[in-house]
Amino acid sequence: MGKIAMLTGGGDCPGLNAVISAATRTLEDAGIDAIGLLDGWKGAIEGLTMDVNRQNTAHIIRQGGTILGTSRTNPYKTEGAVDKIKVSFKKLKLDGLIAIGGEDTLGVATRLYQEEKLPVIGVPKTIDNDLSATDFTFGFDTAVNIAMEAVERIHTTAASHHRVIVVEVMGRHAGWIAAYSGIAGDADVTLVPEMEIDIDAVCETLKKNRKAGKKYNIVVASEGAMFKAGDFVTQEQELDSFGHVRLGGLGDALARMIEKRTDYETRSVILGHIQRGGAPTAFDRILGTRFGVKAAQMVMAGDWGKMAALKSNEIVAVPLADATGELKLLNDDFKSLVTLFSK
Ligand code: F6P
């Protein structure tokens, strides 16, 4: 085994650099060279590389983002791109690839392994925490804590003005960020994509809490929450190369509806990419590090077509296909929790 490439694809998240650093260090210890492919699958297609070694990855565990850059390039949407990835493998003399990504990046990795027989290993990242086959993805803990802190700050300004403030959080079609930050942040109501929004019930809860003495309210809404199945609030109609709508704007729509129905002065705030930026939490640094070490060990064991995953606090190898087959949405326990703390 001589040379292994790494790439980071899709939306960035805190903890990516921890994976890169830990995998590089572990590979180097075993006498295996590592290189980085730049900007996700784009770098694999175009053969864009950067050196990674113990020296230049030594202190990046504390940095958010990814030193390799990222993109939402889908090789299966560009004629000839998959063949170009195979050419890059040959030209760069790669013995394998560690793809660090979410549903989309790992979906491509799964196909490259299954259809092209390329030696690929996956590492699960995303603030959305919506990947099956792992208890957590790194990036999620940081995003949740940023969202919770933001909600915490919103409490004081909402209280001073006796306002309702709707805080829109990310998470795409999974309500994990909303459920965690809404409940931990003590919101009056939390809205998630897994349960349709009943605007009358939302307003009833706000009024009930005011009658009980509260002089302001906070609603945490996941960007992907819907009034009717499939009816998302989007920023634009166009789909990205993986077929995703660009969500955003639900908070504003909700604020207007709430103000109209309750007469309470209402504002909305979209947390957006703040949730993805900045330094990772200790949890994400350690999870990313454990995943990076495991990915390197999987390389050495020839565990291709698999993904490093967290299961009951153990890092294990699971088939890549299990991780990308189905989105991990809120389970019944979490839906009950959200309901209990929204009424
Ligand atoms: O998947 C991560 C995520 O941050 C989602 O929560 C969000 O909907 C999306 O990416 C935003 O994507 P972009 O960075 O392309 O605007």
Side-chain angles (χ1 to χ4, degrees), residues 143-174:
V144 160
N145 278 291
I146 292 169
M148 188 195 72
E149 273 172 41
V151 172
E152 199 78 26
R153 286 171 185 276
I154 294 291
H155 273 281
T156 61
T157 175
S160 306
H161 289 267
H162 316 299
R163 284 172 171 161
V164 178
I165 300 191
V166 181
V167 184
E168 180 184 309
V169 298
M170 281 185 166
R172 212 165 244 160
H173 306 300

Side-chain angles (χ1 to χ4, degrees), residues 11-12 72 125-128 130 170-172 177 223 235 240 245-247 273 276:
D12 73 325
R72 293 200 186 277
K125 70 89 227 198
T126 167
I127 63 163
D128 303 337
D130 59 355
M170 281 185 166
R172 212 165 244 160
I177 297 179
E223 60 180 358
Q235 293 185 47
D240 72 11
V245 288
R246 196 159 151 222
L247 297 168
H273 294 83
R276 289 217 318 246

Side-chain angles (χ1 to χ4, degrees), residues 206-318:
L206 304 185
K207 285 182 191 163
K208 193 187 85 188
N209 291 353
R210 294 249 178 165
K211 269 196 201 122
K214 204 172 172 197
K215 295 197 165 50
Y216 72 98
N217 309 95
I218 293 182
V219 176
V220 168
S222 172
E223 60 180 358
M226 295 163 284
F227 293 99
K228 247 190 3 238
D231 209 358
F232 309 110
V233 177
T234 58
Q235 293 185 47
E236 53 189 45
Q237 293 306 311
E238 244 177 78
L239 303 181
D240 72 11
S241 72
F242 285 95
H244 299 297
V245 288
R246 196 159 151 222
L247 297 168
L250 173 69
D252 195 35
L254 278 168
R256 279 184 269 116
M257 293 168 103
I258 289 169
E259 191 167 72
K260 205 164 159 211
R261 281 172 167 76
T262 60
D263 244 0
Y264 303 147
E265 192 180 22
T266 306
R267 297 284 190 270
S268 71
V269 57
I270 299 179
L271 296 188
H273 294 83
I274 291 168
Q275 294 158 97
R276 289 217 318 246
T281 56
F283 182 88
D284 283 337
R285 293 179 198 199
I286 298 302
L287 183 58
T289 299
R290 293 177 79 196
F291 279 158
V293 169
K294 181 67 178 179
Q297 290 168 344
M298 287 160 70
V299 163
M300 293 178 238
D303 254 347
W304 309 115
K306 296 203 177 151
M307 180 187 86
L310 179 72
K311 297 251 188 191
S312 307
N313 208 25
E314 298 290 324
I315 307 289
V316 295
V318 297

Side-chain angles (χ1 to χ4, degrees), residues 6-316:
M6 272 179 258
L7 66 78
T8 52
D12 73 325
C13 77
L16 286 165
N17 287 326
V19 182
I20 296 165
S21 167
T24 305
R25 189 179 278 241
T26 311
L27 290 169
E28 244 185 56
D29 270 2
I32 301 169
D33 286 337
I35 60 160
L37 294 173
L38 299 179
D39 300 338
W41 293 115
K42 183 173 187 283
I45 297 165
E46 297 175 20
L48 310 171
T49 64
M50 96 173 236
D51 283 341
V52 287
N53 51 52
R54 197 173 171 142
Q55 279 69 42
N56 70 4
T57 60
H59 304 294
I60 60 174
I61 190 170
R62 293 179 283 123
Q63 282 173 31
T66 161
I67 60 161
L68 299 179
T70 187
S71 71
R72 293 200 186 277
T73 304
N74 182 353
Y76 285 97
K77 279 288 149 71
T78 308
E79 188 74 32
V82 171
D83 287 335
K84 284 188 179 161
I85 292 179
K86 286 162 59 182
V87 171
S88 296
F89 253 78
K90 282 214 177 85
K91 268 199 186 151
L92 297 168
K93 298 191 173 57
L94 298 182
D95 296 300
L97 169 68
I98 299 173
I100 311 163
E103 178 208 353
D104 300 332
T105 306
L106 297 182
V108 171
T110 308
R111 287 187 70 179
L112 289 175
Y113 171 73
Q114 287 177 342
E115 297 169 21
E116 310 300 330
K117 312 290 173 238
L118 287 183
V120 183
I121 279 165
V123 173
K125 70 89 227 198
T126 167
I127 63 163
D128 303 337
N129 197 38
D130 59 355
L131 275 179
S132 297
T134 184
D135 293 347
F136 284 102
T137 54
F138 63 87
F140 171 67
D141 185 65
T142 308
V144 160
N145 278 291
I146 292 169
M148 188 195 72
E149 273 172 41
V151 172
E152 199 78 26
R153 286 171 185 276
I154 294 291
H155 273 281
T156 61
T157 175
S160 306
H161 289 267
H162 316 299
R163 284 172 171 161
V164 178
I165 300 191
V166 181
V167 184
E168 180 184 309
V169 298
M170 281 185 166
R172 212 165 244 160
H173 306 300
W176 295 106
I177 297 179
Y180 271 63
S181 61
I183 295 169
D186 193 20
D188 294 70
V189 175
T190 298
L191 299 169
V192 294
E194 291 83 351
M195 292 185 278
E196 281 178 25
I197 303 169
D198 177 344
I199 192 68
D200 294 322
V202 171
C203 294
E204 272 323 301
T205 301
L206 304 185
K207 285 182 191 163
K208 193 187 85 188
N209 291 353
R210 294 249 178 165
K211 269 196 201 122
K214 204 172 172 197
K215 295 197 165 50
Y216 72 98
N217 309 95
I218 293 182
V219 176
V220 168
S222 172
E223 60 180 358
M226 295 163 284
F227 293 99
K228 247 190 3 238
D231 209 358
F232 309 110
V233 177
T234 58
Q235 293 185 47
E236 53 189 45
Q237 293 306 311
E238 244 177 78
L239 303 181
D240 72 11
S241 72
F242 285 95
H244 299 297
V245 288
R246 196 159 151 222
L247 297 168
L250 173 69
D252 195 35
L254 278 168
R256 279 184 269 116
M257 293 168 103
I258 289 169
E259 191 167 72
K260 205 164 159 211
R261 281 172 167 76
T262 60
D263 244 0
Y264 303 147
E265 192 180 22
T266 306
R267 297 284 190 270
S268 71
V269 57
I270 299 179
L271 296 188
H273 294 83
I274 291 168
Q275 294 158 97
R276 289 217 318 246
T281 56
F283 182 88
D284 283 337
R285 293 179 198 199
I286 298 302
L287 183 58
T289 299
R290 293 177 79 196
F291 279 158
V293 169
K294 181 67 178 179
Q297 290 168 344
M298 287 160 70
V299 163
M300 293 178 238
D303 254 347
W304 309 115
K306 296 203 177 151
M307 180 187 86
L310 179 72
K311 297 251 188 191
S312 307
N313 208 25
E314 298 290 324
I315 307 289
V316 295

